[in-house]
Amino acid sequence: MTHKKPHLPTKLCPVCKRPFAWRKKWAKDWEQVIYCSERCRKNKNKHEN
């Protein structure tokens, strides 16, 4: 069985360093999305160098 959406854009989360893929809820503001989750967004100051 193949994945139906293999070519979605991805970004790297600056907090957890994991890649995350485009989601429909981010369609209008994908350029402004920085963090992969609410948890990473809330912990952004704890992981800054």
Side-chain angles (χ1 to χ4, degrees):
M1 185 174 177
T2 60
H3 196 294
K4 292 182 181 181
K5 301 178 184 180
H7 302 293
L8 294 176
T10 61
K11 290 186 179 183
L12 192 63
C13 179
V15 177
C16 66
K17 308 295 185 209
R18 294 180 183 175
F20 63 98
W22 179 92
R23 295 181 188 173
K24 189 172 182 177
K25 70 178 185 176
W26 293 332
K28 292 181 181 177
D29 60 347
W30 175 244
E31 296 300 319
Q32 288 76 36
V33 174
I34 300 172
Y35 306 102
C36 65
S37 65
E38 195 68 22
R39 181 179 180 180
C40 282
R41 186 183 65 78
K42 288 179 181 179
N43 290 321
K44 62 186 172 189
N45 295 328
K46 294 180 183 177
H47 294 281
E48 287 182 353
N49 290 333

